[in-house]
Amino acid sequence: MHIEGSVLIVIFVVLSLLLGALIKSVSKILTSPYSVILLLAGLTLGLYSRSEHIQTALPALSIAITDLAQVDPHLILLLFLPTLIFESAFAMNPHLFKRMLNQIIVLAGPGLMISTALTAVLAFYFFPWQWSWTVCFLFGALISATDPVAVVSLLKEISSRKRLETLIEGESLLNDGTAIVFFSLFYGLLTIGEKVDFDLFTVSGSFIAVVLLGLFTGLAVGIIFLFWIGRIFNQAVVEITLTISAAYISYFIAENVFHVSGVVAVVTLGLLVASIGRTRISPEVAVFLHHFWQMMAHIANTLIFILVGIIIASRIRLDVAEWWLTLAILYIGIQFIRAVPVFLFMPVLQRAGIDKGKAVVLIWGGLRGAVALALALIIAQDNLLAKELGDQILFLTAGIVVLTITINASTMTLLLRYFGLDQLSPAKQASLIKAQQSIKQRLSDELPVLQQNEFLLRADWKALSKPLNEDLPDNIIMDADQVIALRKRLLETEKQFYWSQFNQGMLTGQATTQLVTAVEVALDGNAAIAPRKALFQFWKTPGYIRWFYHIPFLNQVVVNISFERLALSYDTARGFIQAQEEIQKFLQSLSTSEQDTQSVLQEIEDNKKQTRLHIQRLRENFPELSYSLETHTAHRLLLNLEKVYLHDLIGQGVFSDNEAKKLTAEIDYKLIHLTPPPHIVSAKEMSKQLAAMPWASDIKEKTLIQLGRLAQRQIYNTDELIFRQKRNATSIALILHGKVSVMSMAHEKVIEAGAMIGIYAFLTNHYNNSAKAITPVELVWFNIDKLKAIIAKDKQLGEMFATLLELESHQE
């Protein structure tokens, strides 16, 4: 039966995936990394395609393999890189990536430049072909960048150190930008036949442009797609389709429109979706989305490593002994070359916790893969260059890809074990043992109930209970390490609680983002449970907002933003207290000493006390706001509970598919349109609020309307300064909600809602005291000059101000 070559390529894809499934199924037998086994399989198939046997016995297969080996290198990058890079960036911890960014940039920028230059020197002086400096730098650029595909594939299998993993992975993702600048520069010079004019400033400018334009491309595409995703709700097919489209569009635009780093664009997009986008994606879709991209990455990894093996084995020359010797020199040389920037920048790397052992792992983890091979294929397929040169570069690049993946990747586990990086730290191990003990205790407590089960009476309970009585090993460690490990586990538990609450609809996306960020900040350094400064600071009004309060056409917008921040602070405070109560449940089962338990428990209680005080102040001073927020929250919780109960009935088959879709869509529609009421007060409504003040009983309605139009609202949080003594004044304020402390040299007085502050400035145009909010406060400001014009037309208002001024002067 004759089968077309294109059909055989489809069969090749299917068989490759089956081979991948087989390798995963016998992972206990095949202990080598997944990528190594796939590469060896591809090499075997590629070498077989060069034999006479396949050409006579399976000619169609020979044609299919030949077609695969001749695939366009640009197609390899376009087809596989967006999927693999996006999945890697999407799965990365954005906060940890941000913390490691300085170290990543140092290795991906200056570090790669140094490696490129040293590789060029190695090629010029030790290779037997008398390459020009242009060719040497071209080769140094394409061979020096660690490959994101190979590195990510390896780290997902064997890594256990998040910082080290993030550094290696982040470097491999970003150094593509540097490699492209150098490769494009020297490739252009080589093809047009000019001499090298190495201008450091030009190259640096090109590098910055490539990276920044790639970054802006990823940001622009990400913002557009996240805006789109934010406008839909619980539509898994649409949301997943948008992420696929965004990954490929950002890569294509960056590479083919702006001619900048597509990898940087996709990395930026992935990190954007992983951070800001995580709360834009529907909670019910988020888990499915992660699993989908993991599957996409698995398929792409499986195909690309087999394809790389086939290309290498099918296309390189194997009959030149001199080339093999040069390859051996190059392989040894690039290991030492990679060590140079790593140890040169050790002072910077040490700030991220990279010691000498991790530095060796960082050097040994410099794998090369599909990206370097694709660049070498571009050179080999260029008819403007000598075929011999293209074959030499392709041979060396392919050889380095094979050697780094088969040797470095295969021995990485041994290296990690040698430096003790394949295990948890002693402090974390002690916490883990304590958790295991708590599990055993719970099982022991449940054992008597299970033994009484009528269907389990004949079970061998003596044998089953024996493992529960075995003692776990004791770990004796420093108390400081112990309590830090305990805090970190509790903080990780707290972070997961917030995402769980978000997925269940108990927390809004904004509140979840703020709470998770506060946990990640707390995890830095010594992992402090309290005080949670990042969260408490967020509850205060940013200083820049006050600049916009007195701009007439922006005042209402800024006031609304301030109320939204108050509402968000209320929502985060509620979620924070629930999280503190949640982690308190795990404290006993994770703590290894009573002293640590009491220390952390006190920190949790301090957090709860400070947060409850914040909520109490909001309730007392902004009762309408708290009623609105709690009603809105209760409505959201009821809708989510209704959805849970509906899904239970759907699972039990009570509703047909069409009925289930219709009922779910109705609840989703209510959730989408469930928004808290805006905090907008018209001039007429403000006049009514002013009329309710004790001093306004005799004021004319017309005057109150004028005051309502003049009023400018402003929000202050607890302990924020309102104005300072002896400063120039253009306005005086009325307290609508909250309490204010008025301080002068002589005394301090608490002023409550309904009273005016700064009244003395009416005469002197400066404040004779200082004022500070002691609770959340809403003020209404009146411009002094405009207020005088209103007073001139209303006798009662003038008398009221005269009385207030007299009282103020007596107090002074």
Side-chain angles (χ1 to χ4, degrees), residues 590-761:
L590 293 176
S591 178
T592 55
S593 74
E594 184 61 28
Q595 182 180 356
D596 291 347
T597 302
Q598 294 303 318
S599 173
V600 174
L601 181 61
Q602 184 59 53
E603 293 180 44
I604 293 174
E605 291 299 330
D606 290 344
N607 281 340
K608 289 160 65 176
K609 181 180 178 181
Q610 188 164 351
T611 307
R612 284 199 168 96
L613 180 61
H614 177 71
I615 291 177
Q616 181 183 349
R617 286 170 172 171
L618 284 175
R619 283 175 170 170
E620 289 177 352
N621 298 288
F622 291 88
E624 298 88 353
L625 177 64
S626 63
Y627 293 150
S628 170
L629 289 174
E630 292 183 21
T631 301
H632 175 262
T633 302
H635 193 183
R636 188 176 71 245
L637 295 179
L638 284 173
L639 286 173
N640 279 286
L641 283 174
E642 183 181 353
K643 198 170 184 178
V644 170
Y645 299 153
L646 175 61
H647 284 171
D648 289 343
L649 293 177
I650 291 172
Q652 295 166 12
V654 175
F655 301 108
S656 66
D657 289 343
N658 289 335
E659 291 170 336
K661 288 180 181 178
K662 183 178 179 180
L663 293 171
T664 303
E666 289 177 359
I667 299 175
D668 286 343
Y669 180 84
K670 293 177 183 177
L671 283 168
I672 293 171
H673 294 86
L674 182 63
T675 55
H679 308 286
I680 298 175
V681 178
S682 65
K684 187 176 181 180
E685 291 170 337
M686 179 58 68
S687 300
K688 291 180 179 179
Q689 292 188 33
L690 295 176
M693 297 296 165
W695 47 264
S697 57
D698 296 328
I699 306 300
K700 297 176 184 178
E701 183 178 353
K702 181 180 178 181
T703 301
L704 291 173
I705 292 174
Q706 290 177 325
L707 289 175
R709 291 172 181 168
L710 180 60
Q712 298 288 322
R713 299 165 70 203
Q714 188 169 357
I715 305 299
Y716 290 87
N717 273 300
T718 305
D719 295 329
E720 290 182 354
L721 186 68
I722 299 172
F723 54 75
R724 194 181 299 277
Q725 190 175 13
K726 296 182 180 180
R727 292 291 175 88
N728 292 335
T730 59
S731 302
I732 61 174
L734 167 68
I735 305 174
L736 277 185
H737 297 98
K739 299 178 182 179
V740 173
S741 172
V742 176
M743 302 161 288
S744 65
M745 298 296 292
H747 65 278
E748 179 178 353
K749 183 180 179 182
V750 175
I751 309 295
E752 299 189 357
M756 286 194 170
I757 57 174
I759 191 73
Y760 207 73

Side-chain angles (χ1 to χ4, degrees), residues 153-171:
S153 175
L154 173 67
L155 292 175
K156 287 186 182 301
E157 293 187 62
I158 65 173
S159 177
S160 62
R161 301 292 170 134
K162 285 297 179 184
R163 289 190 181 186
L164 182 61
E165 177 184 341
T166 301
L167 179 58
I168 297 176
E169 189 173 349
E171 179 206 359

Side-chain angles (χ1 to χ4, degrees), residues 3 55 97 133 168 184 193 224 285 430 548 560 617 692 711:
I3 302 177
Q55 296 173 5
F97 181 85
W133 278 111
I168 297 176
S184 300
I224 293 171
V285 178
F548 300 101
N560 200 48
R617 286 170 172 171

Side-chain angles (χ1 to χ4, degrees), residues 459-533:
D460 188 358
W461 289 109
K462 185 176 181 180
L464 293 174
S465 59
K466 188 176 181 181
L468 299 180
N469 298 322
E470 293 177 355
D471 293 331
L472 290 168
D474 294 326
N475 279 45
I476 302 173
I477 55 176
M478 298 291 292
D479 289 341
D481 294 334
Q482 216 170 38
V483 74
I484 290 173
L486 171 62
R487 289 192 181 107
K488 285 185 176 180
R489 285 197 183 274
L490 291 174
L491 287 169
E492 291 289 352
T493 303
E494 181 182 338
K495 182 167 69 171
Q496 188 56 43
F497 173 78
Y498 294 137
W499 287 120
S500 174
Q501 292 290 97
F502 170 71
N503 292 335
Q504 296 172 29
M506 307 296 184
L507 274 177
T508 64
Q510 286 181 304
T512 304
T513 300
Q514 293 300 330
L515 289 166
V516 168
T517 300
V519 171
E520 289 173 338
V521 172
L523 279 166
D524 296 342
N526 291 328
I529 298 289
R532 202 64 61 84
K533 294 180 180 179

Side-chain angles (χ1 to χ4, degrees), residues 4 69 137 141 199 206 253 259 290 327 338 418-419 634 639 753 790:
E4 294 291 336
F137 273 97
D199 185 345
S206 299
I253 290 175
H259 303 290
H290 275 279
L327 175 62
R338 177 157 174 80
Y418 176 80
F419 288 108
L639 286 173
I790 295 174

